């Protein structure tokens, strides 16, 4: 199993330093520790392992360091801020790995933006040297970009001219949608390998401030303090995040609250997630005292890990079946207490964690079916996961129940900003409003009447119908399903985040598989080779 | 050169019948007249030639038949409404052709929706038999879908289960964004080869009405009359659309108002479009009297044809250089008169034509650079074309001028609904407002100060800088450029139309080139073969 656990004490590639209310996160990639063998991580270039540490650092900042009010992202190397994703790594990776790598890096950068928007911690990117490709995409995810004004420090997205692929970690979308750079200037920028320095980078709005080298650190510190002073992040006592470790079982892997059973031959994974048992914290201080092993944190961290395992280690698994178990009322009570205390930093972070995991689920490039039988805990955020699924199969039994919880009214938005209720009831927004406001408990016939299941199955048919449904689904083209699901899951509005996944990623996937990039004479394959790339010039 | 001219007198595949204020357009595909040799168009399946006739019919309805208030789209065959895009055609087509075919069909369906939204002619799709794939995508583009309620008539999108590709002519997006079908029901629908019949199709909102066969025609006629009675389309005297024919020249092709010079070795096409000369009609009746050869109609139809020629017949041409010529004030005067008379049906149609051609230009999968030199007619809708381009190169001369015209304030929206000024000035919407309201005339230095050019070039540098700019651009990976341009051109908001091109098309492009679709054992390649498809099961 891939180990997604990281810890600052053993980071190879980042230094996390907390100075009062300011955190410094410095990229200092150790070239000798690539995620896989076969390449060196020169010039602060990155791979999945580097990004896992970044994701870990942002998580720990959220949960372990509530006193932090500003984050400064910088480089621990003088020669390079960051050279972007490692090219040899990209060259030597399979298509599914590349796509999953891009998706993970996108999610990590979005989590940084979520940390700013919803936790109140703004970030400054302090660029002291060359900042290229994914390095600049990381900068774009920060609230402010500060650049040393000298001959060496530049920001660039050289993927198109040098590699024949896109800056695929959200960069193109963030330039025009987040920074609102004029499209023709964006066009110039994205086709120049050398990028922009100093005044021009500032004038064209690719950075927010430039500084002489001698004044750079002082300016960053000053600005970081200003932002910290403006922050509304409530303070408190951080909790320590322990590692999340699954146990391997004969049929998959198992956490405390999450079980994953993988039927390799059927290409089906069944995830069972369990609701809270026994006493749960009632308010923020109690959550601080309970720490990371409390259900509301641990169960969701486990689910997050399980989803990543499926993505990276079980590529052929085409179907995720979601089962929920536990006491529905207990789960709803946890959510009510969280909502009542959402001004507490930790309750806020817990809700944000749930929201991010739900979005990770939305973005699984696997078919997802949720089962709601009599034992199911289809309540609150577990019901959100069910609504996140491509279909919901409900069992027509006396004890089958669904409860809409208090988090369904906007606390767990999808990538495109809609609630899952609104996304489900695009044609009847009043139905979404009603369910969100009334948070009803529905029994089997109501579940169908209210439009909350795809199929309400007779108990006699339950097993056979499900078996056939799964068999049918996994028999179809995996690619066509991915494209179809990406198109059907996100209805209505679009925003910067969803355009990254829906538009930019789709183009990048296409480009990654085209001979002009990854064929024998493609630009990515030929990068650094004495012979240049040879293209099929037909434009499509 | 591909001949995009069609005429109802010689349609092979459609019957256009005008009954007072109701037009009937019946698909009756002649299987013996495929666009290219090698396949038969059975069961009302379609190819590019069929869609060219459809596009022609919609154009003629707009210009030749202003008395029409409702359009009924039906089938001339009893056994099939439409079987969708011809599979043998898809199998035997190159990737660029498939992509261009999908784009053209999308544009045609959008023109049908534009006819409803902006010309006031609602459309009914009358489905009398099986309606599959692109057939149902055509139905989705109509305002209402009526279905015979019997055992044979069904709507379906069987691409995913049968072919391993997407319904790529807008279908997936229209289901969830236009018809707002619940996403899980959409998921079921798109994975069932047989589709939905009668009551279930109605209940799930895939159709708007169902009728017994015996009452079908009467019901359609009744509904068509109701819609016609509600139409606000102003009436008038239609004009006849003559064929658009370019003359081949040594270096490209030439129309009356549009010249195209193609430098094959450089992979650059220069389009020169000329503004109006001499007297132009001042109002609607004068336009009716002047007919299709008046500048405001002919020049834009010629440009439209030129763009299509470039797409289909010059696939390797990577760069479109846009040159404008003519009297700026004369062009602005034409636009002022059109705007003053936009309640006249023909003035309205002319503006809508310009808008569609501008959008076709936005969607060219070619790099587009606009040149604004001293002779340029960078005014009004020609300035819109310049803003539609990836970059604007302006010549720093005394006589260089730009004029924002009255159509730039919303009459020529991009696919995603923004004006080109708003799209250009996302960061400073007040600048977009100001230019749209004041419609200023700008000389060279102002052009740069107002953010209306990418580069203002010194006369000494003009030729060299342009040469280098073009050489650099066409040397890059055609695929990376397509993905980059698609990402940078459309900032901000998204809507159903732009999601079709930005999201759905990108996924379809990816899927078309994946071995799971078009490889030796892919689903599209193996369709109809005794051995089923074999998939690489890795999900990405």
């Amino acid at each position: 199993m891939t180990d997604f656990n990281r810890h600052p004490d053993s980071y190879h590639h980042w230094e996390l330093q907390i100075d009062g209310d300011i955190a410094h996160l410095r990229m200092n990639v150790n070239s000798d520790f690539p995620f896989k063998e076969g390449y060196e991580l020169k010039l602060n270039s990155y791979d999945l392992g580097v990004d896992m540490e970044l994701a870990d650092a942002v998580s720990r900042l959220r949960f372990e360091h509530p006193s932090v009010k500003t984050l400064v992202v910088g480089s621990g190397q003088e020669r390079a801020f960051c050279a972007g994703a490692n090219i040899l790594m990209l060259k030597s990776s399979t298509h599914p790995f590349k796509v999953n790598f891009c998706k993970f890096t996108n999610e990590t950068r979005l989590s940084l933006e979520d940390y700013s928007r919803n936790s109140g911690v703004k970030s400054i990117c302090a660029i002291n040297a060359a900042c290229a490709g994914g390095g600049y995409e990381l900068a774009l995810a920060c609230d402010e970009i500060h650049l040393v004004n000298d001959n060496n420090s530049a920001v660039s997205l050289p993927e198109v001219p040098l590699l024949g692929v896109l800056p695929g970690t959200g960069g193109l979308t963030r330039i025009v949608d987040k920074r609102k750079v004029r499209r023709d200037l964006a066009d110039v920028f994205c086709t120049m390998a050398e990028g922009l320095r100093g005044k021009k980078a500032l004038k064209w709005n690719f950075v927010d401030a430039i500084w002489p080298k001698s004044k750079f650190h002082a300016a960053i510190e000053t600005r970081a303090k200003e932002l910290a002073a403006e922050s509304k992040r409530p303070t408190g006592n951080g909790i320590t995040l322990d590692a999340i470790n699954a146990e391997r079982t004969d049929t998959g892997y198992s956490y405390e609250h999450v079980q994953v059973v993988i039927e390799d031959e059927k290409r089906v994974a069944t995830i069972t997630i369990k609701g809270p048992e026994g006493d749960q914290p009632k308010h923020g201080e109690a959550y601080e005292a309970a720490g990371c092993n409390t259900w509301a944190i641990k169960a969701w961290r486990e689910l997050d890990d399980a989803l990543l395992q499926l993505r990276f280690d079980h590529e052929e698994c085409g179907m995720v079946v979601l089962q929920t178990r536990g006491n529905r009322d207990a789960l709803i009570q946890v959510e009510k207490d969280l909502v009542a205390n959402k001004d507490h930093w930790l309750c806020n972070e817990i809700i944000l964690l749930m929201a991010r995991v739900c979005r990770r689920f939305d973005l699984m490039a696997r078919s997802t079916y949720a089962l709601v039988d009599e034992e199911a805990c289809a309540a609150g955020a577990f019901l959100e996961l069910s609504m996140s699924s491509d279909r919901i199969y409900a069992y027509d039994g006396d004890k089958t129940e669904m409860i809409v919880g208090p988090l369904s009214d906007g606390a767990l938005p999808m990538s495109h900003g809609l609630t899952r209720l609104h996304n489900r009831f695009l044609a009847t927004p009043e139905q979404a409003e009603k369910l969100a406001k009334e948070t009803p408990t529905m029994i089997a016939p109501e579940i169908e009447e209210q439009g909350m299941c795809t199929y309400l199955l007779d108990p006699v048919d339950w097993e056979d119908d499900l078996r056939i449904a799964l068999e049918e689904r996994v028999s179809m083209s995996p690619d066509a399903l991915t494209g179809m699901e990406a198109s059907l899951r996100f209805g209505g509005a679009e925003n910067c985040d969803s355009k990254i996944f829906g538009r930019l990623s789709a183009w990048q996937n296409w480009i990654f598989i085209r001979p002009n990039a990854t064929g024998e004479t493609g630009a990515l394959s030929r990068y650094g080779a004495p012979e240049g790339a040879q293209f099929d010039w037909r434009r499509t």
Side-chain angles (χ1 to χ4, degrees), chain A:
Chain A
M1 287 177 75
T2 301
D3 186 1
F4 284 84
N5 289 298
R6 293 295 185 274
H7 193 282
D9 291 347
S10 53
Y11 283 172
H12 290 298
H13 309 302
W14 293 88
E15 298 153 11
L16 179 59
Q17 178 193 335
I18 314 288
D19 290 332
D21 54 4
I22 295 171
H24 284 273
L25 188 52
R26 285 189 204 91
M27 195 175 197
N28 195 0
V29 176
N30 187 332
S31 59
D32 297 338
F33 287 89
F35 184 71
K36 289 177 183 170
E37 281 184 19
Y39 53 89
E40 277 180 86
L41 294 170
K42 287 181 182 166
L43 290 172
N44 260 7
S45 62
Y46 68 87
D47 65 359
L48 183 61
V50 177
D51 234 62
M52 284 172 169
E53 291 185 5
L54 175 61
D56 179 79
V58 178
S59 282
R60 287 186 196 279
L61 282 167
R62 290 174 174 281
F63 284 98
E64 301 192 349
H65 305 286
S67 61
V68 166
K69 307 289 185 248
T70 308
L71 168 63
V72 179
V73 178
S75 165
Q77 299 187 6
E78 279 302 306
R79 281 182 58 213
F81 174 84
C82 170
N86 186 278
I87 296 167
L88 282 174
M89 176 276 292
L90 286 176
K91 269 193 202 185
S92 60
S93 298
T94 64
H95 183 70
F97 181 85
K98 274 203 289 284
V99 170
N100 273 318
F101 167 70
C102 286
K103 189 181 277 189
F104 183 79
T105 59
N106 277 322
E107 288 170 325
T108 304
R109 278 142 192 76
L110 288 167
S111 81
L112 193 59
E113 293 180 316
D114 177 63
Y115 184 48
S116 163
R117 193 181 303 130
N118 296 312
S119 302
V121 179
K122 291 223 166 128
S123 54
I124 296 174
C125 191
I127 303 177
N128 62 318
C131 173
Y136 183 56
E137 295 185 287
L138 173 59
L140 287 166
C142 295
D143 291 291
E144 296 187 3
I145 306 175
H146 293 240
L147 176 68
V148 166
N149 187 12
D150 65 12
N151 280 329
N152 300 316
S153 303
V155 295
S156 65
L157 292 177
E159 285 87 343
V160 172
L162 292 188
L163 305 174
V165 299
L166 296 187
T169 305
L172 295 180
T173 305
R174 283 203 180 84
I175 284 178
V176 288
D177 274 42
K178 182 180 182 182
R179 295 195 65 90
K180 301 184 197 304
V181 171
R182 226 175 62 206
R183 53 166 286 197
D184 56 340
L185 304 179
D187 181 279
V188 172
F189 179 72
C190 297
T191 52
M192 64 200 310
E194 69 278 21
L196 291 176
R197 284 180 284 126
K199 285 182 188 166
K200 197 154 191 181
L202 182 64
K203 187 178 176 198
W204 285 12
N205 201 33
F206 286 95
V207 304
D208 296 287
I210 53 174
W211 305 100
K213 191 137 206 162
S214 59
K215 296 187 179 166
F216 187 60
H217 291 295
I220 297 289
E221 283 303 303
T222 303
R223 185 62 187 144
K225 282 178 188 159
E226 283 172 11
L227 289 174
E230 291 167 14
S231 169
K232 296 217 166 23
R233 176 149 169 96
T235 195
N237 296 309
I239 63 168
T240 301
L241 295 181
D242 296 342
I244 293 291
N245 286 310
E247 245 179 63
R248 273 215 180 271
T249 65
D250 290 349
T251 54
Y253 42 102
S254 174
Y255 308 80
E256 183 182 347
H257 305 287
V258 175
Q259 270 72 47
V260 181
V261 173
I262 297 169
E263 296 169 277
D264 276 327
E265 274 175 43
K266 294 185 181 173
R267 285 179 279 107
V268 172
T270 301
I271 296 180
T272 305
I273 183 165
K274 284 183 292 191
E277 282 176 27
D279 288 344
Q280 300 297 319
K282 302 294 289 178
H283 48 74
E285 289 71 27
Y287 269 112
E288 286 181 359
C292 73
N293 290 316
T294 196
W295 173 86
I297 299 173
K298 193 169 185 188
W300 291 87
R301 290 182 70 213
E302 289 177 350
L303 177 59
D304 205 34
D305 190 72
L307 296 177
L308 291 174
Q309 302 293 346
L310 283 173
R311 283 194 195 167
F312 282 96
D313 289 354
H314 301 275
E315 292 176 343
E316 295 206 347
C317 166
M319 161 67 69
V320 173
V321 175
L322 176 76
Q323 280 207 115
T324 54
R325 289 290 178 257
N327 184 303
R328 296 163 206 134
D329 296 325
L331 173 49
I332 294 293
Q333 189 57 48
V334 165
E335 294 187 4
K336 283 181 181 169
D337 292 332
L338 285 170
V339 169
N341 293 281
K342 73 178 177 343
D343 292 340
H344 188 276
W345 74 273
L346 183 50
C347 295
N348 181 48
E349 286 302 337
I350 291 170
I351 294 172
L352 294 174
L353 167 66
M354 292 178 176
R356 287 194 304 279
V357 180
C358 286
R359 287 196 288 271
R360 184 105 77 193
F361 195 84
D362 291 332
L363 289 168
M364 292 296 284
R366 314 296 166 96
S367 301
T368 48
Y369 287 3
L371 307 189
V372 180
D373 55 16
E374 291 187 302
E375 291 166 79
C377 182
F382 283 3
L383 181 57
E384 287 285 317
L385 291 172
S386 306
M387 284 192 284
S388 168
S389 305
D390 295 312
R391 301 185 189 180
I392 301 174
Y393 285 84
Y395 180 94
D396 193 2
D398 294 342
K399 295 181 198 147
T400 303
E401 245 183 48
M402 264 186 193
I403 312 179
V404 178
L407 298 178
S408 290
D409 197 19
L412 309 172
M414 299 177 70
S415 298
H416 63 337
L418 295 191
T419 68
R420 283 177 195 79
L421 283 170
H422 271 121
N423 188 58
R424 185 170 185 81
F425 297 109
L426 279 177
T428 51
E430 64 282 2
Q431 171 72 352
E433 299 288 333
K434 192 192 75 169
L435 293 172
K437 295 301 170 210
E438 295 178 1
T439 59
T441 299
M442 295 169 272
I443 56 167
E446 288 168 329
I447 289 170
E448 188 172 44
E449 286 155 25
Q450 298 295 321
M452 290 298 289
C453 67
T454 317
Y455 290 107
L456 183 65
L457 296 184
D458 194 279
V460 188
D461 302 325
W462 179 254
E463 284 199 11
D464 275 356
D465 281 9
L466 280 181
R467 183 181 47 76
I468 293 166
L470 299 183
E471 281 174 10
E472 275 185 2
R473 184 65 158 217
V474 296
S475 73
M476 294 180 201
S477 159
D479 305 332
L481 288 174
T482 291
M484 182 192 84
E485 289 155 6
S487 298
L488 298 180
R489 286 177 183 171
F490 301 90
E494 286 266 4
N495 62 10
C496 185
D497 295 10
S498 67
K499 280 166 87 172
I500 289 173
F501 292 111
R503 176 185 276 259
L504 179 58
S505 298
W507 283 112
Q508 179 74 309
N509 287 1
W510 176 67
I511 292 163
F512 268 155
I513 202 150
R514 293 273 288 172
N516 280 341
T518 50
E520 210 177 308
T521 67
L524 187 61
S525 309
R526 283 262 171 103
Y527 182 74
E531 335 83 290
Q534 277 180 15
F535 295 127
D536 172 348
W537 291 115
R538 288 175 297 171
R539 285 288 297 252
T540 44

